Amino acid sequence: MDDDMDLAAAKRNVITPGEDLDAFSLDDLAERREILLGEIARIDTITEKKKAGRSAADAVFKI
């Protein structure tokens, strides 16, 4: 039974771009929004790290 609950929770966190959102409650929509904002923050963090690495590499090879 716990496996079914874990699977249901995991499915709630799967977000498909373009998915029909009409069936979602306001609470569900708010939860999805928070998940997406967290993912955007994570992407921004990794992007900044990669940019810093690229800048450092460019500085090393710029003669």
Side-chain angles (χ1 to χ4, degrees):
M1 186 109 153
D2 288 336
D3 289 339
D4 292 338
M5 282 196 241
D6 291 341
L7 184 58
K11 283 186 177 182
R12 270 200 329 261
N13 289 333
V14 173
I15 296 174
T16 305
E19 182 178 5
D20 182 15
L21 301 175
D22 289 334
F24 288 91
S25 69
L26 289 173
D27 288 340
D28 290 340
L29 290 170
E31 181 181 347
R32 290 167 65 86
R33 186 176 190 280
E34 288 303 312
I35 292 168
L36 288 168
L37 288 173
E39 188 65 8
I40 289 168
R42 192 172 74 94
I43 290 168
D44 289 346
T45 299
I46 296 298
T47 299
E48 290 306 312
K49 285 181 183 178
K50 288 186 177 252
K51 284 181 181 178
R54 178 179 283 172
S55 293
D58 287 346
V60 168
F61 292 107
K62 195 177 210 178
I63 299 178

Short mmCIF file of all heavy atoms in Angstrom, two decimals:
data_model
loop_
_atom_site.label_atom_id
_atom_site.label_comp_id
_atom_site.label_asym_id
_atom_site.label_seq_id
_atom_site.Cartn_x
_atom_site.Cartn_y
_atom_site.Cartn_z
N MET A 1 0.82 -1.19 0.00
CA MET A 1 0.00 0.00 0.00
C MET A 1 0.87 1.26 0.00
O MET A 1 0.53 2.22 -0.65
CB MET A 1 -0.92 -0.03 1.22
CG MET A 1 -1.90 1.09 1.24
SD MET A 1 -3.46 0.37 0.91
CE MET A 1 -4.59 1.41 1.66
N ASP A 2 1.97 1.22 0.74
CA ASP A 2 2.88 2.36 0.75
C ASP A 2 3.47 2.61 -0.62
O ASP A 2 3.71 3.76 -0.99
CB ASP A 2 3.99 2.15 1.77
CG ASP A 2 3.50 2.28 3.21
OD1 ASP A 2 2.46 2.94 3.41
OD2 ASP A 2 4.14 1.72 4.11
N ASP A 3 3.71 1.53 -1.37
CA ASP A 3 4.25 1.68 -2.72
C ASP A 3 3.27 2.44 -3.61
O ASP A 3 3.68 3.25 -4.43
CB ASP A 3 4.56 0.32 -3.33
CG ASP A 3 5.76 -0.34 -2.68
OD1 ASP A 3 6.57 0.38 -2.05
OD2 ASP A 3 5.89 -1.57 -2.79
N ASP A 4 1.97 2.18 -3.45
CA ASP A 4 0.96 2.89 -4.23
C ASP A 4 0.95 4.38 -3.90
O ASP A 4 0.83 5.22 -4.79
CB ASP A 4 -0.43 2.31 -3.98
CG ASP A 4 -0.58 0.90 -4.55
OD1 ASP A 4 0.19 0.55 -5.47
OD2 ASP A 4 -1.47 0.17 -4.09
N MET A 5 1.10 4.71 -2.62
CA MET A 5 1.13 6.11 -2.20
C MET A 5 2.39 6.80 -2.72
O MET A 5 2.33 7.93 -3.17
CB MET A 5 1.06 6.22 -0.68
CG MET A 5 -0.32 6.03 -0.13
SD MET A 5 -0.38 6.62 1.54
CE MET A 5 -0.81 5.13 2.39
N ASP A 6 3.53 6.09 -2.68
CA ASP A 6 4.77 6.65 -3.19
C ASP A 6 4.67 6.91 -4.69
O ASP A 6 5.13 7.93 -5.19
CB ASP A 6 5.95 5.73 -2.90
CG ASP A 6 6.28 5.65 -1.42
OD1 ASP A 6 5.86 6.55 -0.66
OD2 ASP A 6 6.97 4.68 -1.03
N LEU A 7 4.06 5.98 -5.41
CA LEU A 7 3.89 6.12 -6.85
C LEU A 7 2.97 7.29 -7.17
O LEU A 7 3.25 8.08 -8.07
CB LEU A 7 3.33 4.82 -7.44
CG LEU A 7 3.18 4.78 -8.96
CD1 LEU A 7 4.52 5.02 -9.64
CD2 LEU A 7 2.62 3.43 -9.38
N ALA A 8 1.89 7.44 -6.41
CA ALA A 8 0.97 8.56 -6.63
C ALA A 8 1.67 9.88 -6.36
O ALA A 8 1.49 10.85 -7.10
CB ALA A 8 -0.26 8.41 -5.74
N ALA A 9 2.46 9.95 -5.31
CA ALA A 9 3.20 11.17 -4.98
C ALA A 9 4.21 11.49 -6.08
O ALA A 9 4.37 12.65 -6.47
CB ALA A 9 3.90 11.03 -3.64
N ALA A 10 4.88 10.48 -6.59
CA ALA A 10 5.86 10.68 -7.65
C ALA A 10 5.19 11.19 -8.92
O ALA A 10 5.70 12.08 -9.59
CB ALA A 10 6.61 9.39 -7.94
N LYS A 11 4.03 10.64 -9.24
CA LYS A 11 3.31 11.08 -10.44
C LYS A 11 2.86 12.53 -10.33
O LYS A 11 2.81 13.25 -11.31
CB LYS A 11 2.11 10.17 -10.71
CG LYS A 11 2.48 8.85 -11.32
CD LYS A 11 1.25 8.06 -11.69
CE LYS A 11 1.62 6.77 -12.38
NZ LYS A 11 0.45 6.01 -12.79
N ARG A 12 2.51 12.97 -9.12
CA ARG A 12 2.11 14.36 -8.92
C ARG A 12 3.25 15.32 -9.23
O ARG A 12 3.02 16.45 -9.64
CB ARG A 12 1.66 14.59 -7.47
CG ARG A 12 0.22 14.36 -7.23
CD ARG A 12 -0.29 15.04 -5.97
NE ARG A 12 0.67 15.17 -4.90
CZ ARG A 12 0.78 14.38 -3.84
NH1 ARG A 12 -0.01 13.35 -3.71
NH2 ARG A 12 1.67 14.61 -2.90
N ASN A 13 4.47 14.88 -9.00
CA ASN A 13 5.63 15.74 -9.22
C ASN A 13 6.15 15.70 -10.66
O ASN A 13 7.09 16.40 -10.98
CB ASN A 13 6.75 15.37 -8.25
CG ASN A 13 6.42 15.79 -6.84
OD1 ASN A 13 5.66 16.73 -6.62
ND2 ASN A 13 6.98 15.11 -5.88
N VAL A 14 5.55 14.87 -11.50
CA VAL A 14 5.94 14.82 -12.90
C VAL A 14 5.16 15.92 -13.63
O VAL A 14 3.93 15.95 -13.61
CB VAL A 14 5.63 13.44 -13.52
CG1 VAL A 14 5.89 13.46 -15.01
CG2 VAL A 14 6.44 12.37 -12.84
N ILE A 15 5.90 16.79 -14.26
CA ILE A 15 5.28 17.92 -14.95
C ILE A 15 5.59 17.79 -16.43
O ILE A 15 6.75 17.70 -16.82
CB ILE A 15 5.80 19.25 -14.38
CG1 ILE A 15 5.36 19.37 -12.92
CG2 ILE A 15 5.30 20.42 -15.21
CD1 ILE A 15 5.91 20.56 -12.21
N THR A 16 4.54 17.79 -17.23
CA THR A 16 4.68 17.69 -18.67
C THR A 16 4.31 19.03 -19.29
O THR A 16 3.17 19.49 -19.14
CB THR A 16 3.73 16.60 -19.22
OG1 THR A 16 4.00 15.37 -18.53
CG2 THR A 16 3.92 16.41 -20.70
N PRO A 17 5.27 19.68 -19.97
CA PRO A 17 4.95 20.95 -20.62
C PRO A 17 3.76 20.80 -21.57
O PRO A 17 3.65 19.82 -22.30
CB PRO A 17 6.22 21.29 -21.40
CG PRO A 17 7.30 20.57 -20.66
CD PRO A 17 6.66 19.29 -20.17
N GLY A 18 2.86 21.75 -21.53
CA GLY A 18 1.69 21.73 -22.39
C GLY A 18 0.55 20.90 -21.88
O GLY A 18 -0.51 20.82 -22.51
N GLU A 19 0.73 20.29 -20.71
CA GLU A 19 -0.31 19.44 -20.12
C GLU A 19 -1.55 20.26 -19.80
O GLU A 19 -1.45 21.41 -19.39
CB GLU A 19 0.26 18.81 -18.85
CG GLU A 19 -0.67 17.87 -18.14
CD GLU A 19 0.00 17.27 -16.91
OE1 GLU A 19 1.12 17.64 -16.56
OE2 GLU A 19 -0.64 16.40 -16.30
N ASP A 20 -2.72 19.67 -19.98
CA ASP A 20 -3.98 20.34 -19.64
C ASP A 20 -4.05 20.52 -18.12
O ASP A 20 -3.96 19.56 -17.37
CB ASP A 20 -5.16 19.51 -20.13
CG ASP A 20 -6.50 20.17 -19.86
OD1 ASP A 20 -6.53 21.39 -19.57
OD2 ASP A 20 -7.52 19.47 -19.95
N LEU A 21 -4.20 21.75 -17.68
CA LEU A 21 -4.20 22.05 -16.25
C LEU A 21 -5.59 22.28 -15.69
O LEU A 21 -5.74 22.53 -14.49
CB LEU A 21 -3.33 23.29 -15.99
CG LEU A 21 -1.88 23.20 -16.43
CD1 LEU A 21 -1.17 24.53 -16.23
CD2 LEU A 21 -1.16 22.09 -15.70
N ASP A 22 -6.62 22.18 -16.50
CA ASP A 22 -7.98 22.47 -16.06
C ASP A 22 -8.45 21.57 -14.92
O ASP A 22 -9.22 21.99 -14.08
CB ASP A 22 -8.97 22.36 -17.23
CG ASP A 22 -8.81 23.50 -18.22
OD1 ASP A 22 -8.34 24.59 -17.81
OD2 ASP A 22 -9.15 23.31 -19.40
N ALA A 23 -7.99 20.35 -14.88
CA ALA A 23 -8.46 19.39 -13.87
C ALA A 23 -7.76 19.57 -12.52
O ALA A 23 -8.18 18.98 -11.53
CB ALA A 23 -8.25 17.97 -14.37
N PHE A 24 -6.72 20.39 -12.46
CA PHE A 24 -5.97 20.56 -11.23
C PHE A 24 -6.66 21.55 -10.29
O PHE A 24 -7.22 22.55 -10.74
CB PHE A 24 -4.55 21.05 -11.53
CG PHE A 24 -3.68 20.01 -12.14
CD1 PHE A 24 -3.60 19.87 -13.52
CD2 PHE A 24 -2.93 19.16 -11.36
CE1 PHE A 24 -2.80 18.92 -14.11
CE2 PHE A 24 -2.12 18.19 -11.93
CZ PHE A 24 -2.06 18.07 -13.30
N SER A 25 -6.58 21.26 -9.01
CA SER A 25 -7.13 22.18 -8.01
C SER A 25 -6.18 23.36 -7.83
O SER A 25 -5.03 23.32 -8.30
CB SER A 25 -7.29 21.46 -6.66
OG SER A 25 -6.01 21.18 -6.10
N LEU A 26 -6.64 24.37 -7.13
CA LEU A 26 -5.77 25.52 -6.85
C LEU A 26 -4.55 25.09 -6.04
O LEU A 26 -3.44 25.57 -6.29
CB LEU A 26 -6.55 26.60 -6.10
CG LEU A 26 -7.60 27.35 -6.92
CD1 LEU A 26 -8.41 28.27 -6.03
CD2 LEU A 26 -6.94 28.13 -8.05
N ASP A 27 -4.74 24.19 -5.09
CA ASP A 27 -3.61 23.70 -4.29
C ASP A 27 -2.62 22.93 -5.17
O ASP A 27 -1.40 23.10 -5.02
CB ASP A 27 -4.09 22.80 -3.15
CG ASP A 27 -4.80 23.57 -2.05
OD1 ASP A 27 -4.59 24.80 -1.95
OD2 ASP A 27 -5.55 22.94 -1.28
N ASP A 28 -3.14 22.11 -6.07
CA ASP A 28 -2.26 21.37 -6.98
C ASP A 28 -1.47 22.32 -7.87
O ASP A 28 -0.28 22.13 -8.10
CB ASP A 28 -3.07 20.41 -7.86
CG ASP A 28 -3.64 19.24 -7.10
OD1 ASP A 28 -3.14 18.93 -5.99
OD2 ASP A 28 -4.61 18.63 -7.61
N LEU A 29 -2.14 23.35 -8.38
CA LEU A 29 -1.47 24.31 -9.24
C LEU A 29 -0.39 25.08 -8.47
O LEU A 29 0.71 25.30 -8.99
CB LEU A 29 -2.49 25.29 -9.84
CG LEU A 29 -3.44 24.69 -10.88
CD1 LEU A 29 -4.53 25.68 -11.22
CD2 LEU A 29 -2.68 24.25 -12.12
N ALA A 30 -0.68 25.44 -7.23
CA ALA A 30 0.31 26.14 -6.41
C ALA A 30 1.52 25.23 -6.14
O ALA A 30 2.66 25.69 -6.19
CB ALA A 30 -0.32 26.59 -5.10
N GLU A 31 1.26 23.96 -5.89
CA GLU A 31 2.35 23.01 -5.65
C GLU A 31 3.21 22.85 -6.90
O GLU A 31 4.45 22.86 -6.82
CB GLU A 31 1.77 21.65 -5.24
CG GLU A 31 2.83 20.61 -4.95
CD GLU A 31 2.24 19.26 -4.56
OE1 GLU A 31 1.03 19.18 -4.28
OE2 GLU A 31 3.01 18.30 -4.55
N ARG A 32 2.58 22.73 -8.04
CA ARG A 32 3.31 22.60 -9.30
C ARG A 32 4.14 23.83 -9.57
O ARG A 32 5.28 23.75 -10.04
CB ARG A 32 2.35 22.34 -10.46
CG ARG A 32 1.71 20.96 -10.41
CD ARG A 32 0.54 20.85 -11.36
NE ARG A 32 0.93 20.95 -12.75
CZ ARG A 32 1.34 19.92 -13.49
NH1 ARG A 32 1.41 18.72 -12.96
NH2 ARG A 32 1.67 20.10 -14.74
N ARG A 33 3.58 24.99 -9.27
CA ARG A 33 4.30 26.26 -9.46
C ARG A 33 5.56 26.29 -8.60
O ARG A 33 6.63 26.68 -9.06
CB ARG A 33 3.39 27.43 -9.13
CG ARG A 33 4.01 28.78 -9.44
CD ARG A 33 2.99 29.89 -9.16
NE ARG A 33 3.46 31.16 -9.67
CZ ARG A 33 4.36 31.94 -9.04
NH1 ARG A 33 4.87 31.55 -7.89
NH2 ARG A 33 4.74 33.08 -9.58
N GLU A 34 5.44 25.86 -7.35
CA GLU A 34 6.60 25.83 -6.45
C GLU A 34 7.66 24.86 -6.96
O GLU A 34 8.86 25.15 -6.89
CB GLU A 34 6.18 25.47 -5.03
CG GLU A 34 5.43 26.57 -4.32
CD GLU A 34 6.21 27.87 -4.26
OE1 GLU A 34 7.41 27.84 -3.88
OE2 GLU A 34 5.65 28.92 -4.59
N ILE A 35 7.23 23.73 -7.47
CA ILE A 35 8.17 22.75 -8.04
C ILE A 35 8.92 23.38 -9.21
O ILE A 35 10.15 23.27 -9.32
CB ILE A 35 7.44 21.46 -8.47
CG1 ILE A 35 6.93 20.71 -7.24
CG2 ILE A 35 8.34 20.57 -9.33
CD1 ILE A 35 5.95 19.60 -7.56
N LEU A 36 8.18 24.05 -10.08
CA LEU A 36 8.81 24.67 -11.25
C LEU A 36 9.75 25.80 -10.85
O LEU A 36 10.85 25.93 -11.42
CB LEU A 36 7.73 25.20 -12.20
CG LEU A 36 6.97 24.12 -12.96
CD1 LEU A 36 5.75 24.71 -13.65
CD2 LEU A 36 7.87 23.43 -13.97
N LEU A 37 9.37 26.61 -9.87
CA LEU A 37 10.25 27.69 -9.41
C LEU A 37 11.53 27.12 -8.82
O LEU A 37 12.63 27.66 -9.04
CB LEU A 37 9.54 28.58 -8.40
CG LEU A 37 8.44 29.48 -8.96
CD1 LEU A 37 7.68 30.17 -7.84
CD2 LEU A 37 9.02 30.50 -9.93
N GLY A 38 11.41 26.03 -8.09
CA GLY A 38 12.59 25.36 -7.54
C GLY A 38 13.49 24.84 -8.65
O GLY A 38 14.73 24.94 -8.56
N GLU A 39 12.90 24.30 -9.67
CA GLU A 39 13.68 23.78 -10.80
C GLU A 39 14.36 24.92 -11.56
O GLU A 39 15.51 24.80 -11.97
CB GLU A 39 12.77 22.97 -11.74
CG GLU A 39 13.51 22.24 -12.83
CD GLU A 39 14.44 21.14 -12.34
OE1 GLU A 39 14.44 20.81 -11.14
OE2 GLU A 39 15.20 20.62 -13.18
N ILE A 40 13.67 26.05 -11.73
CA ILE A 40 14.27 27.21 -12.38
C ILE A 40 15.47 27.70 -11.57
O ILE A 40 16.53 28.02 -12.13
CB ILE A 40 13.23 28.33 -12.58
CG1 ILE A 40 12.23 27.91 -13.66
CG2 ILE A 40 13.91 29.65 -12.95
CD1 ILE A 40 10.99 28.79 -13.73
N ALA A 41 15.33 27.77 -10.25
CA ALA A 41 16.44 28.19 -9.40
C ALA A 41 17.61 27.23 -9.54
O ALA A 41 18.78 27.66 -9.60
CB ALA A 41 15.97 28.28 -7.94
N ARG A 42 17.33 25.94 -9.60
CA ARG A 42 18.39 24.95 -9.76
C ARG A 42 19.10 25.12 -11.10
O ARG A 42 20.33 25.06 -11.19
CB ARG A 42 17.78 23.54 -9.64
CG ARG A 42 18.78 22.43 -9.50
CD ARG A 42 18.07 21.11 -9.20
NE ARG A 42 17.41 20.58 -10.37
CZ ARG A 42 17.97 19.70 -11.19
NH1 ARG A 42 19.20 19.27 -10.99
NH2 ARG A 42 17.30 19.23 -12.22
N ILE A 43 18.34 25.36 -12.15
CA ILE A 43 18.92 25.60 -13.48
C ILE A 43 19.78 26.85 -13.47
O ILE A 43 20.89 26.86 -14.02
CB ILE A 43 17.81 25.70 -14.54
CG1 ILE A 43 17.17 24.33 -14.76
CG2 ILE A 43 18.34 26.27 -15.86
CD1 ILE A 43 15.87 24.37 -15.57
N ASP A 44 19.29 27.92 -12.85
CA ASP A 44 20.05 29.17 -12.77
C ASP A 44 21.37 28.97 -12.04
O ASP A 44 22.40 29.51 -12.46
CB ASP A 44 19.23 30.26 -12.09
CG ASP A 44 18.08 30.77 -12.95
OD1 ASP A 44 18.06 30.48 -14.17
OD2 ASP A 44 17.19 31.45 -12.40
N THR A 45 21.36 28.20 -10.96
CA THR A 45 22.58 27.94 -10.19
C THR A 45 23.61 27.20 -11.04
O THR A 45 24.79 27.59 -11.09
CB THR A 45 22.25 27.12 -8.93
OG1 THR A 45 21.36 27.89 -8.11
CG2 THR A 45 23.50 26.78 -8.14
N ILE A 46 23.18 26.16 -11.72
CA ILE A 46 24.09 25.38 -12.57
C ILE A 46 24.59 26.23 -13.74
O ILE A 46 25.77 26.18 -14.11
CB ILE A 46 23.41 24.10 -13.08
CG1 ILE A 46 23.06 23.18 -11.91
CG2 ILE A 46 24.26 23.38 -14.11
CD1 ILE A 46 24.26 22.69 -11.13
N THR A 47 23.72 27.05 -14.31
CA THR A 47 24.10 27.92 -15.42
C THR A 47 25.20 28.88 -14.99
O THR A 47 26.19 29.06 -15.72
CB THR A 47 22.88 28.69 -15.94
OG1 THR A 47 21.90 27.76 -16.42
CG2 THR A 47 23.25 29.64 -17.07
N GLU A 48 25.04 29.48 -13.82
CA GLU A 48 26.05 30.41 -13.33
C GLU A 48 27.38 29.72 -13.08
O GLU A 48 28.44 30.26 -13.38
CB GLU A 48 25.56 31.12 -12.07
CG GLU A 48 24.44 32.12 -12.33
CD GLU A 48 24.80 33.15 -13.40
OE1 GLU A 48 25.91 33.73 -13.33
OE2 GLU A 48 23.99 33.35 -14.32
N LYS A 49 27.36 28.51 -12.54
CA LYS A 49 28.59 27.75 -12.32
C LYS A 49 29.29 27.45 -13.65
O LYS A 49 30.51 27.57 -13.76
CB LYS A 49 28.30 26.44 -11.60
CG LYS A 49 28.00 26.59 -10.14
CD LYS A 49 27.74 25.24 -9.49
CE LYS A 49 27.36 25.40 -8.04
NZ LYS A 49 27.05 24.10 -7.40
N LYS A 50 28.51 27.08 -14.64
CA LYS A 50 29.10 26.76 -15.94
C LYS A 50 29.66 28.02 -16.61
O LYS A 50 30.72 27.97 -17.23
CB LYS A 50 28.07 26.08 -16.84
CG LYS A 50 27.78 24.66 -16.40
CD LYS A 50 26.87 23.95 -17.37
CE LYS A 50 26.67 22.53 -16.92
NZ LYS A 50 27.37 21.58 -17.76
N LYS A 51 28.96 29.13 -16.48
CA LYS A 51 29.47 30.39 -17.04
C LYS A 51 30.77 30.79 -16.37
O LYS A 51 31.70 31.25 -17.03
CB LYS A 51 28.44 31.51 -16.86
CG LYS A 51 27.29 31.44 -17.82
CD LYS A 51 26.34 32.61 -17.58
CE LYS A 51 25.15 32.58 -18.50
NZ LYS A 51 24.20 33.68 -18.21
N ALA A 52 30.86 30.62 -15.05
CA ALA A 52 32.08 30.94 -14.32
C ALA A 52 33.22 30.05 -14.79
O ALA A 52 34.36 30.52 -14.98
CB ALA A 52 31.87 30.81 -12.82
N GLY A 53 32.94 28.78 -14.99
CA GLY A 53 33.96 27.86 -15.49
C GLY A 53 34.42 28.22 -16.88
O GLY A 53 35.62 28.18 -17.19
N ARG A 54 33.51 28.61 -17.72
CA ARG A 54 33.86 29.00 -19.08
C ARG A 54 34.70 30.28 -19.07
O ARG A 54 35.69 30.38 -19.79
CB ARG A 54 32.61 29.22 -19.93
CG ARG A 54 32.97 29.69 -21.35
CD ARG A 54 31.78 29.88 -22.21
NE ARG A 54 31.30 28.58 -22.65
CZ ARG A 54 30.17 28.39 -23.30
NH1 ARG A 54 29.39 29.41 -23.57
NH2 ARG A 54 29.80 27.19 -23.68
N SER A 55 34.31 31.23 -18.23
CA SER A 55 35.08 32.49 -18.14
C SER A 55 36.50 32.21 -17.65
O SER A 55 37.45 32.81 -18.15
CB SER A 55 34.38 33.46 -17.18
OG SER A 55 33.15 33.88 -17.72
N ALA A 56 36.62 31.33 -16.68
CA ALA A 56 37.95 30.98 -16.17
C ALA A 56 38.78 30.32 -17.26
O ALA A 56 39.97 30.63 -17.43
CB ALA A 56 37.83 30.07 -14.96
N ALA A 57 38.18 29.42 -18.01
CA ALA A 57 38.90 28.75 -19.10
C ALA A 57 39.28 29.74 -20.18
O ALA A 57 40.40 29.71 -20.70
CB ALA A 57 38.03 27.63 -19.69
N ASP A 58 38.38 30.64 -20.52
CA ASP A 58 38.69 31.66 -21.53
C ASP A 58 39.85 32.53 -21.08
O ASP A 58 40.72 32.89 -21.89
CB ASP A 58 37.46 32.55 -21.80
CG ASP A 58 36.38 31.84 -22.60
OD1 ASP A 58 36.66 30.76 -23.19
OD2 ASP A 58 35.24 32.35 -22.63
N ALA A 59 39.89 32.87 -19.80
CA ALA A 59 40.97 33.70 -19.27
C ALA A 59 42.31 32.98 -19.35
O ALA A 59 43.34 33.58 -19.64
CB ALA A 59 40.68 34.11 -17.84
N VAL A 60 42.30 31.67 -19.10
CA VAL A 60 43.54 30.88 -19.16
C VAL A 60 44.08 30.81 -20.58
O VAL A 60 45.30 30.93 -20.81
CB VAL A 60 43.31 29.46 -18.59
CG1 VAL A 60 44.48 28.55 -18.91
CG2 VAL A 60 43.07 29.53 -17.09
N PHE A 61 43.21 30.60 -21.53
CA PHE A 61 43.65 30.40 -22.92
C PHE A 61 43.75 31.69 -23.71
O PHE A 61 44.15 31.67 -24.87
CB PHE A 61 42.71 29.41 -23.61
CG PHE A 61 42.84 28.02 -23.05
CD1 PHE A 61 41.84 27.50 -22.25
CD2 PHE A 61 43.95 27.26 -23.30
CE1 PHE A 61 41.94 26.22 -21.70
CE2 PHE A 61 44.09 25.98 -22.78
CZ PHE A 61 43.08 25.47 -21.98
N LYS A 62 43.42 32.81 -23.11
CA LYS A 62 43.54 34.09 -23.79
C LYS A 62 44.97 34.61 -23.58
O LYS A 62 45.38 34.86 -22.46
CB LYS A 62 42.53 35.08 -23.23
CG LYS A 62 42.32 36.30 -24.06
CD LYS A 62 41.24 37.13 -23.42
CE LYS A 62 40.50 37.90 -24.47
NZ LYS A 62 39.41 38.67 -23.90
N ILE A 63 45.69 34.72 -24.64
CA ILE A 63 47.08 35.16 -24.50
C ILE A 63 47.29 36.48 -25.19
O ILE A 63 46.76 36.88 -26.11
CB ILE A 63 48.06 34.10 -25.08
CG1 ILE A 63 47.87 32.80 -24.29
CG2 ILE A 63 49.48 34.58 -25.03
CD1 ILE A 63 48.72 31.66 -24.77
#
